[in-house]
C-alpha cells in the first residue's frame, strides 16, 4: 500500500524533472457520481491532455463542476457524494484508498468560482501550501517560491511592495490571480478552475485568460466555464456536458465549427442553455 | 416617512388618490413602529439607570465609614504581655488592645462608680475585633510599643449609621444662651433661656416628630451646654428640667451657648441609646471622629459585624471558582463544538446530541447544584464549600452555552475558506486549526466570556454544594473553604442589622465591576484577534 503512494509521488517528480511530454495526463474511466440516491454523472470516460487547456461547457446543473471536483477528490468533502469508476493519473488510480486526498490535492490544484483568499497577508496566502507540504527548507526558499508563484500568476509587479497587506484588500481580479498563484505555489501538475472568471469584470477576465494561456505550457489545465467565447479563446480541447452525460469531446476548433451532436450545436449557437 | 408627499399639482396618472391613501397608511405604520422601538429602548435605558442609581446611592455610604481616633500610649504591659520580641503575640492580643482603648474611653467619660449598663453602652461604641488592625500594625512595627500613638478603630455599625444620618430622624436647633441655671448634676438642673429666645422651632420639631410616631412614644430631646449633654425631663413655662447624660460634670453657667437635638424616636425604639448619641456628639466636637475610605470592604473576609465585614474572601473565592470553570468549560466546550461542527457525521446520533446540548442550556441552574452535590461530593468524595467543586459545577452549567456559541461562531466562517484550504492540500484538521478556528476565535471568545459572566453571577447551585458557609479567612487555593460574591451578597442581604443594607449594595457594585472587567477583557481580546486579519 505504502509502496503505491511512494511510487505515485516518485513518478510525478521524475516526470516533472525530465519535463516529459505526455499526451494523456488524467484518464477517467466510467465515472458515476451520486448525491445520495440521485445520480449526477452517468458513465463518463475521457482522457485529459497534459500541457493543454481543456474546457468543460454545458448548461447549469449538467455536472461539469461535479466532474471537475472528482479529479482532486473534492467530492470527498461532501458527505452525501459517492464516486464510482477509475481516474488514472500517472498510472495510479486516484480513487484508490491508498492515495491520500491531501497528497493528491498537492498535485492537483484548484481555483474556485469566487476568489477566496485566506484572510491573511498576501505572502502567507502563497506560503501556506508550501509550508504545510514542507516544500521550502528555509525562509529564503519560501521567499523564492512566493515570488516565482506571484510572477507566474502575473501579480508580482502589483503586490511586491505590499506582501504583508491582507489578501482580501486586493481587487477581485487580483484576488483571483492570488488564488491561482496560491495553487501554483505547491507546484501541482494539474490545475482545476471552476468558473474562475464568473465574478470578474471583462478586463480582469482578459488578464486571467492571458494567464491561463501562459500557464498551459507548464500545466495540465481544466477549466469549467459558462462563456462559450472563453472556452473558444483559451482551450485546446472542449467537452460538452448535458444532464450528467458527456455529449461530445474533442478539439475546441472542431467542437465550435463542426459539432457532431445536435445538442452541442444547439447549445453553442445559443438555442438552449 | 422621509419621502415628501407627492405634490397634487404635478401628480401623474399613476398617482391615484387610492395609491396616496395607501402610501399614507404605510408611512404611518412605519412611524408607529419606529416609535414602538424608541419606546422600548427608553424603557430599557430607564430600567438600567434606575438600577444603577439605586445601587450606587445605597452603596455610597458603605464606601466611607467613621473611625474613632485615640491618642494613646501603647503600654507594653497592656499590649505586649510576652514582651516586645514576639510580634505574633502582639497581633493576637486583641483583648489587650481592646481593654486599653476601653479604659481610655472609661477614664474620659464615666465616673468610678458607673453601673454596668452605662459601661456596656460606652464600650458599645466600637466592637472588640475592630482593634485587630491596630494590633497587626503594632506587631509589624514593634518599636511603637511604649510610645504615644494616634490609632483609629472603626465605630460600631449602629453608631456609624447614626453619623451617616440613619437610625433616627433628627433636628439640631440653636437655642441661644442660658439666662440662668439652678440645681446640681446629681439631682437635676433647671435652666431658663435668655428672654426673647425663639423656641418655636423646637416646639415645631417635637410636635412634628410626635405626629409621625407610630406608637405615640414621645420624641427625645437632648440639650447640649458646653461640654455636657442632658436629656430633657420636662418643660415648664420658663424653665427646662434637665437630667445629666454625659460629658463634663459641671453645672451650666449663665451666658453659655445652649443647643437642642430632637430625635424622632424614643430611646427604647432605637439601637443607639441617648448616652451613646451624647458621647458621639462629644467625640465629634473633640474632632476624634474621622471619615475614612472603607478599605475593610476589600481587605477583610466576611464577619458577623457589618463594619468589619469585607469582600476579600469572596473575591478570591470567585476568582478561583472562575479559574476552575474556565479550565473546564472553555477547552471542553470549544473542542466539542469543533468536533460537532467540522468532523462529526450528520446523522441521528449527532442530531440527538445537538438537541440535548440545547436542552441542557435551559436546565435550571439549581439542578446542576444537585448534580454537583450528588456526583462530586457524595460519589467522588470531594470536600464541601470549595472553589474546585463550585468551579466544576459552574463549568458544567456553562458548557452548553460555550458549545452553542462556539458552534455559531464556527458556522459563520464562510465555507470558501475551508474549500480554499482543502484545495491547496491541507488536511481537514489543518484547515480547521489553521483557518477556521482563528476566524471563529472572536465569536468563540465572546460566547465563552458571556458564559463565564453567567457563572460569575450564579448563586443557586453553589448553595447546594455548601459554598454558603461563613468563611472568615481568605482562601489559599481551590480546595480551601470559600464563598463567592453572589452568595455573599445573598447572605449580607439577609443580615438583620440595618448596616448590612449599604454593605450589600457595595458588594453588588464589586460584582458589577468584576463583570464589567470581564467584558472589557473580552472586548480587548476580540479586538486583538480581529486585528490579525
Amino acid at each position: 500500500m505504502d509502496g503505491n503512494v511512494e511510487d505515485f509521488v516518485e513518478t510525478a517528480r521524475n516526470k516533472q524533472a525530465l519535463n516529459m511530454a505526455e499526451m494523456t495526463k488524467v484518464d477517467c474511466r466510467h465515472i458515476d457520481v451520486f448525491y445520495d440516491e440521485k445520480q449526477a454523472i452517468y458513465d463518463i470516460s475521457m482522457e485529459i491532455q497534459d500541457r493543454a487547456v481543456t474546457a468543460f461547457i454545458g448548461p447549469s446543473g449538467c455536472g461539469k463542476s461535479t466532474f471537475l471536483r472528482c479529479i482532486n477528490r473534492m467530492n470527498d468533502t461532501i458527505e452525501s457524494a459517492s464516486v464510482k469508476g477509475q481516474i488514472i493519473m500517472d498510472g495510479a488510480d486516484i480513487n484508490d484508498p491508498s492515495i491520500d486526498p491531501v497528497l493528491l490535492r498537492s498535485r492537483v490544484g484548484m481555483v474556485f468560482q469566487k476568489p477566496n483568499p485566506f484572510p491573511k497577508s498576501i505572502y502567507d496566502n502563497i506560503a501556506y501550501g508550501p509550508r504545510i507540504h514542507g516544500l521550502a527548507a528555509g525562509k529564503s526558499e519560501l521567499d523564492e517560491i512566493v515570488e516565482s508563484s506571484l510572477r507566474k500568476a502575473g501579480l508580482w509587479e502589483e503586490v511586491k511592495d505590499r506582501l504583508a497587506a491582507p489578501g482580501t484588500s486586493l481587487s477581485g481580479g487580483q484576488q483571483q490571480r492570488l488564488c491561482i498563484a496560491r495553487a501554483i505555489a505547491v507546484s501541482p501538475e494539474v490545475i482545476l478552475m471552476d468558473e474562475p472568471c464568473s465574478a470578474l469584470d471583462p478586463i480582469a477576465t482578459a488578464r486571467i485568460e492571458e494567464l491561463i494561456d501562459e500557464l498551459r505550457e507548464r500545466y495540465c489545465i481544466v477549466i469549467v466555464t459558462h462563456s462559450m467565447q472563453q472556452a473558444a479563446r483559451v482551450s485546446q480541447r472542449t467537452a460538452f456536458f448535458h444532464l450528467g452525460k458527456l455529449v461530445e469531446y474533442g478539439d475546441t476548433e472542431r467542437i465550435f465549427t463542426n459539432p457532431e451532436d445536435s445538442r452541442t450545436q444547439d447549445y453553442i449557437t445559443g438555442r438552449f442553455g | 416617512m422621509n419621502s415628501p408627499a407627492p405634490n397634487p399639482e404635478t401628480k401623474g396618472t399613476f398617482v391615484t388618490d387610492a395609491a396616496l391613501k395607501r402610501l399614507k397608511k404605510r408611512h404611518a405604520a412605519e412611524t408607529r413602529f419606529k416609535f414602538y422601538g424608541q419606546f422600548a429602548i427608553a424603557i430599557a435605558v430607564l430600567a438600567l439607570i434606575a438600577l444603577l442609581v439605586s445601587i450606587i446611592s445605597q452603596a455610597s455610604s458603605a464606601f466611607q465609614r467613621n473611625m474613632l481616633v485615640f491618642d494613646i500610649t501603647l503600654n507594653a504591659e497592656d499590649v505586649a504581655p510576652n514582651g516586645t520580641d514576639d510580634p505574633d503575640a502582639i497581633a493576637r492580643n486583641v483583648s489587650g488592645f481592646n481593654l486599653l482603648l476601653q479604659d481610655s474611653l472609661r477614664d474620659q467619660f464615666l465616673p468610678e462608680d458607673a453601673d454596668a449598663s452605662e459601661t456596656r453602652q460606652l464600650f458599645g461604641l466600637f466592637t472588640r475585633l475592630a482593634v485587630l488592625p491596630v494590633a497587626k500594625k503594632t506587631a509589624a512595627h514593634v518599636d511603637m510599643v511604649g510610645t504615644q500613638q494616634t490609632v483609629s478603630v472603626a465605630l460600631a455599625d449602629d453608631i456609624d449609621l447614626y453619623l451617616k444620618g440613619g437610625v433616627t430622624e433628627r433636628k439640631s436647633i440653636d437655642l441661644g444662651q442660658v439666662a440662668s441655671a439652678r440645681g446640681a448634676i446629681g439631682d437635676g438642673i433647671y435652666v431658663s433661656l435668655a428672654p426673647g429666645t425663639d423656641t418655636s422651632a423646637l416646639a415645631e420639631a417635637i410636635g412634628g416628630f410626635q405626629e409621625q410616631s407610630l406608637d405615640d412614644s414621645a420624641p427625645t430631646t437632648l440639650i447640649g451646654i458646653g461640654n455636657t449633654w442632658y436629656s430633657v425631663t420636662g418643660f415648664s413655662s420658663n424653665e427646662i428640667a434637665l437630667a445629666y447624660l454625659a460629658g463634663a460634670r459641671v453645672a451650666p453657667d449663665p451666658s453659655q451657648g445652649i443647643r437642642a437635638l430632637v430625635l424622632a424616636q424614643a430611646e427604647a425604639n432605637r439601637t443607639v441609646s441617648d448616652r451613646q448619641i451624647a458621647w458621639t456628639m462629644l467625640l465629634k466636637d473633640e474632632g476624634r471622629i474621622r471619615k475614612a475610605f472603607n478599605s475593610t470592604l476589600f481587605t477583610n473576609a466576611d464577619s458577623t459585624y457589618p463594619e468589619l465585614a469585607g469582600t476579600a474572601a469572596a473575591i478570591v473565592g470567585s476568582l478561583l471558582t472562575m479559574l476552575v470553570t474556565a479550565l473546564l468549560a472553555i477547552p471542553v466546550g470549544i473542542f466539542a463544538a469543533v468536533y460537532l461542527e467540522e468532523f462529526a457525521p450528520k446523522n441521528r446520533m449527532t442530531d440527538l446530541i445537538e438537541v440535548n446540548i440545547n436542552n441542557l442550556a435551559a436546565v435550571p441552574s439549581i439542578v446542576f447544584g444537585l448534580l454537583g452535590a450528588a456526583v462530586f461530593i457524595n460519589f467522588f468524595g470531594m470536600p464541601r464549600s470549595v472553589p474546585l467543586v463550585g468551579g466544576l459545577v459552574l463549568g458544567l452549567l456553562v458548557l452548553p452555552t460555550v458549545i452553542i456559541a462556539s458552534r455559531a461562531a464556527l458556522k459563520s466562517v464562510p465555507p470558501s475558506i475551508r474549500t480554499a484550504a482543502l484545495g491547496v492540500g491541507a488536511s481537514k484538521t489543518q484547515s480547521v486549526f489553521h483557518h477556521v478556528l482563528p476566524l471563529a476565535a472572536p465569536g468563540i471568545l465572546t460566547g465563552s466570556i458571556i458564559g463565564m459572566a453567567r457563572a460569575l453571577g450564579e448563586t443557586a447551585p453553589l448553595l447546594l454544594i455548601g459554598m454558603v458557609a461563613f468563611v472568615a479567612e481568605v482562601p489559599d487555593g481551590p480546595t480551601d473553604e470559600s464563598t463567592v460574591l453572589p452568595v455573599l451578597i445573598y447572605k449580607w442581604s439577609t443580615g438583620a442589622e440595618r448596616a448590612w443594607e449599604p454593605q450589600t449594595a457595595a458588594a453588588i457594585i464589586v460584582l458589577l465591576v468584576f463583570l464589567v472587567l470581564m467584558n472589557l477583557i473580552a472586548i480587548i481580546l476580540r479586538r486583538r484577534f480581529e486585528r490579525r486579519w
Side-chain angles (χ1 to χ4, degrees), chain B residues 340-502:
Chain B
L340 283 174
E341 199 56 40
E342 303 287 335
F343 294 98
K346 301 278 174 285
N347 56 25
R348 207 163 274 191
M349 192 66 198
T350 42
D351 280 351
L352 193 72
I353 291 174
E354 190 174 341
V355 168
N356 277 307
I357 288 173
N358 290 342
N359 282 339
L360 218 52
V363 167
S365 57
I366 197 151
V367 176
F368 282 93
L370 281 172
L371 174 113
V375 175
F376 296 123
I377 294 175
N378 285 348
F379 188 74
F380 288 115
M382 290 183 182
R384 295 171 62 87
S385 319
V386 299
L388 176 65
V389 176
L392 289 175
V393 169
L394 293 181
L396 293 181
L397 176 73
V398 299
L399 194 55
T401 316
V402 175
I403 293 178
I404 291 169
S406 302
R407 287 191 69 176
L410 288 167
K411 226 175 233 160
S412 69
V413 175
S416 68
I417 297 299
R418 296 182 182 86
T419 52
L422 294 176
V424 295
S427 68
K428 183 79 194 165
T429 315
Q430 283 173 327
S431 81
V432 169
F433 283 92
H434 294 170
H435 299 287
V436 180
L437 211 50
L439 279 178
I444 291 177
L445 219 64
T446 311
S448 302
I449 291 184
I450 286 172
M452 296 297 291
R454 186 190 161 192
L456 181 66
E458 203 55 75
T459 322
L462 299 179
L463 298 182
L464 288 178
I465 57 153
M467 283 189 92
V468 71
F470 177 79
V471 178
E473 299 259 326
V474 176
D476 286 330
T479 51
D480 260 15
E481 282 210 343
S482 156
T483 186
V484 293
L485 279 168
V487 175
L488 187 77
I489 290 169
Y490 164 73
K491 265 166 56 195
W492 282 5
S493 71
T494 55
E497 284 96 338
R498 286 293 302 277
W500 287 116
E501 207 175 284

Side-chain angles (χ1 to χ4, degrees), chain A residues 82-100:
Chain A
S82 61
V83 180
K84 290 202 179 85
Q86 282 183 309
I87 298 177
I88 312 290
M89 190 175 150
D90 296 323
D93 180 4
I94 64 164
N95 285 330
D96 193 276
S98 67
I99 305 286
D100 193 289

Side-chain angles (χ1 to χ4, degrees), chain A residues 231-258:
Chain A
R233 278 196 301 264
V234 301
S235 72
Q236 283 72 53
R237 307 269 291 168
T238 298
F240 173 63
F241 289 74
H242 185 49
L243 297 175
K245 295 188 177 95
L246 180 61
V247 175
E248 197 167 351
Y249 177 45
D251 287 339
T252 302
E253 225 180 290
R254 187 190 58 71
I255 295 273
F256 279 94
T257 52
N258 188 19

Side-chain angles (χ1 to χ4, degrees), chain B residues 143-348:
Chain B
D143 53 328
M144 279 167 66
V145 175
T147 61
Q148 171 103 3
Q149 291 291 336
T150 305
V151 300
S152 54
V153 296
L155 278 167
D157 56 327
D158 287 328
I159 310 292
D160 185 50
L161 208 60
Y162 172 80
L163 284 167
K164 285 169 180 168
V167 179
T168 173
E169 266 188 84
R170 74 202 69 157
K171 257 187 195 128
S172 234
I173 295 153
D174 186 15
L175 290 177
Q177 291 185 339
V178 175
S180 66
R182 61 188 178 82
I185 289 289
D187 313 320
I189 302 271
Y190 301 88
V191 292
S192 58
L193 299 175
T197 305
D198 181 18
T199 56
S200 61
L202 181 65
E204 208 173 283
I206 295 173
F209 285 141
Q210 177 75 62
E211 242 167 71
Q212 284 174 28
S213 170
L214 293 175
D215 57 354
D216 285 336
S217 60
T220 314
T221 309
L222 303 183
I223 296 285
I225 302 170
N227 285 327
T228 316
W229 280 85
Y230 306 88
S231 62
V232 174
T233 51
F235 291 100
S236 65
S237 54
N238 52 1
E239 272 184 337
I240 309 175
L242 300 175
Y244 170 81
L245 209 54
R249 293 179 154 272
V250 288
D253 282 331
S255 83
Q256 262 187 313
I258 176 166
R259 56 197 162 135
L261 182 64
V262 187
L263 305 166
Q265 280 168 332
E267 187 171 18
N269 297 345
R270 273 184 264 125
T271 47
V272 185
S273 70
D274 287 350
R275 269 205 184 78
Q276 283 176 323
I277 290 173
W279 286 321
T280 309
M281 299 301 290
L282 288 168
L283 286 166
K284 213 173 162 188
D285 290 344
E286 270 183 72
R288 282 178 59 189
I289 288 177
R290 214 172 277 162
K291 274 191 172 170
F293 177 69
N294 187 3
S295 57
T296 303
L297 201 58
F298 307 100
T299 56
N300 270 25
D302 201 2
S303 165
T304 42
Y305 302 104
E307 75 269 25
L308 301 178
T311 54
I315 289 174
V316 175
S318 270
L319 282 175
L320 289 169
T321 309
M322 285 301 102
L323 190 72
V324 177
T325 306
L327 286 179
L328 172 70
I330 292 177
V332 173
I334 291 175
F335 280 103
V338 167
Y339 179 76
L340 283 174
E341 199 56 40
E342 303 287 335
F343 294 98
K346 301 278 174 285
N347 56 25
R348 207 163 274 191

Side-chain angles (χ1 to χ4, degrees), chain B residues 45-88:
Chain B
V45 168
L46 278 178
L48 187 69
I49 289 175
L51 177 83
L52 287 179
V53 167
S54 87
I55 290 176
I56 290 174
S57 65
Q58 276 197 45
S60 59
S61 72
F63 284 109
Q64 268 209 337
R65 62 170 172 180
N66 292 293
M67 307 286 286
L68 181 53
V69 183
F70 290 91
D71 270 317
I72 203 162
T73 307
L74 299 173
N75 294 323
E77 61 265 31
D78 291 324
V79 300
N82 299 346
T84 53
D85 52 340
D86 189 1
D88 278 353

